[in-house]
PDB file of all heavy atoms in Angstrom:
ATOM      1  N   LEU U  15     -23.299 -34.619  32.127  1.00 98.00           N
ATOM      2  CA  LEU U  15     -23.850 -33.770  33.223  1.00 98.00           C
ATOM      3  C   LEU U  15     -24.000 -34.476  34.573  1.00 98.00           C
ATOM      4  O   LEU U  15     -24.514 -35.623  34.544  1.00 98.00           O
ATOM      5  CB  LEU U  15     -25.163 -33.144  32.830  1.00 98.00           C
ATOM      6  CG  LEU U  15     -25.239 -32.373  31.500  1.00 98.00           C
ATOM      7  CD1 LEU U  15     -26.618 -31.799  31.286  1.00 98.00           C
ATOM      8  CD2 LEU U  15     -24.146 -31.299  31.339  1.00 98.00           C
ATOM      9  N   THR U  16     -23.683 -33.770  35.569  1.00 98.00           N
ATOM     10  CA  THR U  16     -23.978 -34.298  36.977  1.00 98.00           C
ATOM     11  C   THR U  16     -25.483 -34.037  37.210  1.00 98.00           C
ATOM     12  O   THR U  16     -26.129 -33.305  36.457  1.00 98.00           O
ATOM     13  CB  THR U  16     -23.189 -33.523  38.010  1.00 98.00           C
ATOM     14  OG1 THR U  16     -23.569 -32.136  37.943  1.00 98.00           O
ATOM     15  CG2 THR U  16     -21.698 -33.632  37.772  1.00 98.00           C
ATOM     16  N   ARG U  17     -25.970 -34.587  38.265  1.00 98.00           N
ATOM     17  CA  ARG U  17     -27.398 -34.423  38.627  1.00 98.00           C
ATOM     18  C   ARG U  17     -27.757 -32.959  38.799  1.00 98.00           C
ATOM     19  O   ARG U  17     -28.781 -32.485  38.222  1.00 98.00           O
ATOM     20  CB  ARG U  17     -27.813 -35.271  39.824  1.00 98.00           C
ATOM     21  CG  ARG U  17     -29.335 -35.259  40.005  1.00 98.00           C
ATOM     22  CD  ARG U  17     -29.728 -36.567  40.740  1.00 98.00           C
ATOM     23  NE  ARG U  17     -28.914 -36.672  41.970  1.00 98.00           N
ATOM     24  CZ  ARG U  17     -29.387 -36.305  43.154  1.00 98.00           C
ATOM     25  NH1 ARG U  17     -30.568 -35.607  43.237  1.00 98.00           N
ATOM     26  NH2 ARG U  17     -28.696 -36.483  44.254  1.00 98.00           N
ATOM     27  N   PRO U  18     -27.003 -32.154  39.565  1.00 98.00           N
ATOM     28  CA  PRO U  18     -27.322 -30.695  39.671  1.00 98.00           C
ATOM     29  C   PRO U  18     -27.302 -30.023  38.319  1.00 98.00           C
ATOM     30  O   PRO U  18     -28.095 -29.110  38.031  1.00 98.00           O
ATOM     31  CB  PRO U  18     -26.189 -30.166  40.585  1.00 98.00           C
ATOM     32  CG  PRO U  18     -25.685 -31.344  41.291  1.00 98.00           C
ATOM     33  CD  PRO U  18     -25.876 -32.510  40.493  1.00 98.00           C
ATOM     34  N   GLU U  19     -26.410 -30.443  37.420  1.00 98.00           N
ATOM     35  CA  GLU U  19     -26.362 -29.828  36.067  1.00 98.00           C
ATOM     36  C   GLU U  19     -27.608 -30.153  35.266  1.00 98.00           C
ATOM     37  O   GLU U  19     -28.110 -29.328  34.532  1.00 98.00           O
ATOM     38  CB  GLU U  19     -25.108 -30.247  35.353  1.00 98.00           C
ATOM     39  CG  GLU U  19     -23.824 -29.528  35.944  1.00 98.00           C
ATOM     40  CD  GLU U  19     -22.506 -30.052  35.274  1.00 98.00           C
ATOM     41  OE1 GLU U  19     -22.480 -31.038  34.667  1.00 98.00           O
ATOM     42  OE2 GLU U  19     -21.490 -29.310  35.516  1.00 98.00           O
ATOM     43  N   VAL U  20     -28.051 -31.405  35.393  1.00 98.00           N
ATOM     44  CA  VAL U  20     -29.307 -31.776  34.696  1.00 98.00           C
ATOM     45  C   VAL U  20     -30.459 -30.912  35.185  1.00 98.00           C
ATOM     46  O   VAL U  20     -31.273 -30.453  34.441  1.00 98.00           O
ATOM     47  CB  VAL U  20     -29.563 -33.304  34.839  1.00 98.00           C
ATOM     48  CG1 VAL U  20     -30.955 -33.633  34.410  1.00 98.00           C
ATOM     49  CG2 VAL U  20     -28.544 -34.105  34.031  1.00 98.00           C
ATOM     50  N   SER U  21     -30.454 -30.806  36.505  1.00 98.00           N
ATOM     51  CA  SER U  21     -31.537 -30.040  37.146  1.00 98.00           C
ATOM     52  C   SER U  21     -31.450 -28.567  36.666  1.00 98.00           C
ATOM     53  O   SER U  21     -32.530 -27.956  36.337  1.00 98.00           O
ATOM     54  CB  SER U  21     -31.255 -30.098  38.685  1.00 98.00           C
ATOM     55  OG  SER U  21     -32.435 -29.623  39.338  1.00 98.00           O
ATOM     56  N   ALA U  22     -30.249 -28.004  36.630  1.00 98.00           N
ATOM     57  CA  ALA U  22     -30.127 -26.597  36.161  1.00 98.00           C
ATOM     58  C   ALA U  22     -30.525 -26.453  34.721  1.00 98.00           C
ATOM     59  O   ALA U  22     -31.175 -25.473  34.342  1.00 98.00           O
ATOM     60  CB  ALA U  22     -28.654 -26.150  36.334  1.00 98.00           C
ATOM     61  N   LEU U  23     -30.298 -27.457  33.875  1.00 98.00           N
ATOM     62  CA  LEU U  23     -30.694 -27.492  32.520  1.00 98.00           C
ATOM     63  C   LEU U  23     -32.223 -27.426  32.411  1.00 98.00           C
ATOM     64  O   LEU U  23     -32.785 -26.543  31.699  1.00 98.00           O
ATOM     65  CB  LEU U  23     -30.177 -28.703  31.793  1.00 98.00           C
ATOM     66  CG  LEU U  23     -30.482 -28.815  30.295  1.00 98.00           C
ATOM     67  CD1 LEU U  23     -29.570 -27.858  29.454  1.00 98.00           C
ATOM     68  CD2 LEU U  23     -30.214 -30.256  29.813  1.00 98.00           C
ATOM     69  N   ILE U  24     -32.874 -28.308  33.078  1.00 98.00           N
ATOM     70  CA  ILE U  24     -34.369 -28.418  33.012  1.00 98.00           C
ATOM     71  C   ILE U  24     -35.045 -27.187  33.621  1.00 98.00           C
ATOM     72  O   ILE U  24     -35.938 -26.615  33.034  1.00 98.00           O
ATOM     73  CB  ILE U  24     -34.800 -29.674  33.710  1.00 98.00           C
ATOM     74  CG1 ILE U  24     -34.230 -30.937  32.989  1.00 98.00           C
ATOM     75  CG2 ILE U  24     -36.341 -29.829  33.792  1.00 98.00           C
ATOM     76  CD1 ILE U  24     -34.737 -31.208  31.635  1.00 98.00           C
ATOM     77  N   THR U  25     -34.572 -26.739  34.764  1.00 98.00           N
ATOM     78  CA  THR U  25     -35.181 -25.600  35.386  1.00 98.00           C
ATOM     79  C   THR U  25     -34.839 -24.297  34.624  1.00 98.00           C
ATOM     80  O   THR U  25     -35.631 -23.352  34.580  1.00 98.00           O
ATOM     81  CB  THR U  25     -34.819 -25.422  36.875  1.00 98.00           C
ATOM     82  OG1 THR U  25     -33.477 -25.415  37.013  1.00 98.00           O
ATOM     83  CG2 THR U  25     -35.400 -26.574  37.700  1.00 98.00           C
ATOM     84  N   GLY U  26     -33.685 -24.284  34.028  1.00 98.00           N
ATOM     85  CA  GLY U  26     -33.303 -23.111  33.172  1.00 98.00           C
ATOM     86  C   GLY U  26     -34.241 -22.962  31.991  1.00 98.00           C
ATOM     87  O   GLY U  26     -34.439 -21.869  31.434  1.00 98.00           O
ATOM     88  N   TRP U  27     -34.866 -24.115  31.543  1.00 98.00           N
ATOM     89  CA  TRP U  27     -35.887 -24.021  30.500  1.00 98.00           C
ATOM     90  C   TRP U  27     -37.301 -23.763  31.118  1.00 98.00           C
ATOM     91  O   TRP U  27     -38.278 -23.794  30.393  1.00 98.00           O
ATOM     92  CB  TRP U  27     -35.932 -25.371  29.750  1.00 98.00           C
ATOM     93  CG  TRP U  27     -34.768 -25.661  28.932  1.00 98.00           C
ATOM     94  CD1 TRP U  27     -33.807 -24.836  28.467  1.00 98.00           C
ATOM     95  CD2 TRP U  27     -34.345 -27.010  28.448  1.00 98.00           C
ATOM     96  NE1 TRP U  27     -32.833 -25.527  27.759  1.00 98.00           N
ATOM     97  CE2 TRP U  27     -33.138 -26.867  27.688  1.00 98.00           C
ATOM     98  CE3 TRP U  27     -34.880 -28.271  28.623  1.00 98.00           C
ATOM     99  CZ2 TRP U  27     -32.488 -27.948  27.096  1.00 98.00           C
ATOM    100  CZ3 TRP U  27     -34.251 -29.355  28.045  1.00 98.00           C
ATOM    101  CH2 TRP U  27     -33.031 -29.166  27.269  1.00 98.00           C
ATOM    102  N   GLU U  28     -37.258 -23.496  32.388  1.00 98.00           N
ATOM    103  CA  GLU U  28     -38.455 -23.158  33.165  1.00 98.00           C
ATOM    104  C   GLU U  28     -39.499 -24.366  33.214  1.00 98.00           C
ATOM    105  O   GLU U  28     -40.671 -24.119  33.219  1.00 98.00           O
ATOM    106  CB  GLU U  28     -39.116 -21.847  32.594  1.00 98.00           C
ATOM    107  CG  GLU U  28     -38.035 -20.763  32.652  1.00 98.00           C
ATOM    108  CD  GLU U  28     -38.548 -19.372  32.674  1.00 98.00           C
ATOM    109  OE1 GLU U  28     -39.592 -19.109  32.088  1.00 98.00           O
ATOM    110  OE2 GLU U  28     -37.794 -18.517  33.179  1.00 98.00           O
ATOM    111  N   PHE U  29     -38.920 -25.516  33.296  1.00 98.00           N
ATOM    112  CA  PHE U  29     -39.737 -26.710  33.574  1.00 98.00           C
ATOM    113  C   PHE U  29     -39.499 -27.052  35.129  1.00 98.00           C
ATOM    114  O   PHE U  29     -38.515 -26.655  35.695  1.00 98.00           O
ATOM    115  CB  PHE U  29     -39.322 -27.899  32.792  1.00 98.00           C
ATOM    116  CG  PHE U  29     -39.581 -27.703  31.240  1.00 98.00           C
ATOM    117  CD1 PHE U  29     -38.541 -28.046  30.324  1.00 98.00           C
ATOM    118  CD2 PHE U  29     -40.793 -27.268  30.764  1.00 98.00           C
ATOM    119  CE1 PHE U  29     -38.731 -27.853  28.966  1.00 98.00           C
ATOM    120  CE2 PHE U  29     -40.970 -27.054  29.433  1.00 98.00           C
ATOM    121  CZ  PHE U  29     -39.967 -27.342  28.493  1.00 98.00           C
ATOM    122  N   SER U  30     -40.392 -27.797  35.600  1.00 97.00           N
ATOM    123  CA  SER U  30     -40.320 -28.154  37.023  1.00 97.00           C
ATOM    124  C   SER U  30     -39.103 -29.084  37.303  1.00 97.00           C
ATOM    125  O   SER U  30     -38.754 -29.994  36.458  1.00 97.00           O
ATOM    126  CB  SER U  30     -41.588 -28.914  37.420  1.00 97.00           C
ATOM    127  OG  SER U  30     -41.344 -29.710  38.541  1.00 97.00           O
ATOM    128  N   PRO U  31     -38.401 -28.912  38.441  1.00 97.00           N
ATOM    129  CA  PRO U  31     -37.308 -29.819  38.796  1.00 97.00           C
ATOM    130  C   PRO U  31     -37.756 -31.309  38.903  1.00 97.00           C
ATOM    131  O   PRO U  31     -36.898 -32.195  38.819  1.00 97.00           O
ATOM    132  CB  PRO U  31     -36.883 -29.273  40.194  1.00 97.00           C
ATOM    133  CG  PRO U  31     -37.876 -28.276  40.643  1.00 97.00           C
ATOM    134  CD  PRO U  31     -38.626 -27.838  39.499  1.00 97.00           C
ATOM    135  N   VAL U  32     -39.099 -31.496  39.062  1.00 98.00           N
ATOM    136  CA  VAL U  32     -39.580 -32.866  39.114  1.00 98.00           C
ATOM    137  C   VAL U  32     -39.199 -33.627  37.781  1.00 98.00           C
ATOM    138  O   VAL U  32     -38.859 -34.829  37.807  1.00 98.00           O
ATOM    139  CB  VAL U  32     -41.140 -32.861  39.220  1.00 98.00           C
ATOM    140  CG1 VAL U  32     -41.670 -34.254  39.049  1.00 98.00           C
ATOM    141  CG2 VAL U  32     -41.545 -32.289  40.573  1.00 98.00           C
ATOM    142  N   HIS U  33     -39.255 -32.885  36.742  1.00 98.00           N
ATOM    143  CA  HIS U  33     -38.872 -33.503  35.413  1.00 98.00           C
ATOM    144  C   HIS U  33     -37.388 -33.849  35.373  1.00 98.00           C
ATOM    145  O   HIS U  33     -37.001 -34.865  34.740  1.00 98.00           O
ATOM    146  CB  HIS U  33     -39.286 -32.603  34.304  1.00 98.00           C
ATOM    147  CG  HIS U  33     -40.763 -32.320  34.252  1.00 98.00           C
ATOM    148  ND1 HIS U  33     -41.696 -33.279  34.567  1.00 98.00           N
ATOM    149  CD2 HIS U  33     -41.455 -31.153  34.008  1.00 98.00           C
ATOM    150  CE1 HIS U  33     -42.911 -32.715  34.470  1.00 98.00           C
ATOM    151  NE2 HIS U  33     -42.762 -31.411  34.180  1.00 98.00           N
ATOM    152  N   ALA U  34     -36.587 -33.046  36.008  1.00 98.00           N
ATOM    153  CA  ALA U  34     -35.150 -33.340  36.043  1.00 98.00           C
ATOM    154  C   ALA U  34     -34.950 -34.653  36.779  1.00 98.00           C
ATOM    155  O   ALA U  34     -34.128 -35.508  36.370  1.00 98.00           O
ATOM    156  CB  ALA U  34     -34.387 -32.159  36.710  1.00 98.00           C
TER     157      ALA U  34
END
Side-chain angles (χ1 to χ4, degrees):
L15 307 184
T16 61
R17 190 154 54 92
E19 286 173 346
V20 166
S21 194
L23 181 75
I24 298 292
T25 54
W27 291 339
E28 305 199 334
F29 296 131
S30 155
V32 171
H33 302 318

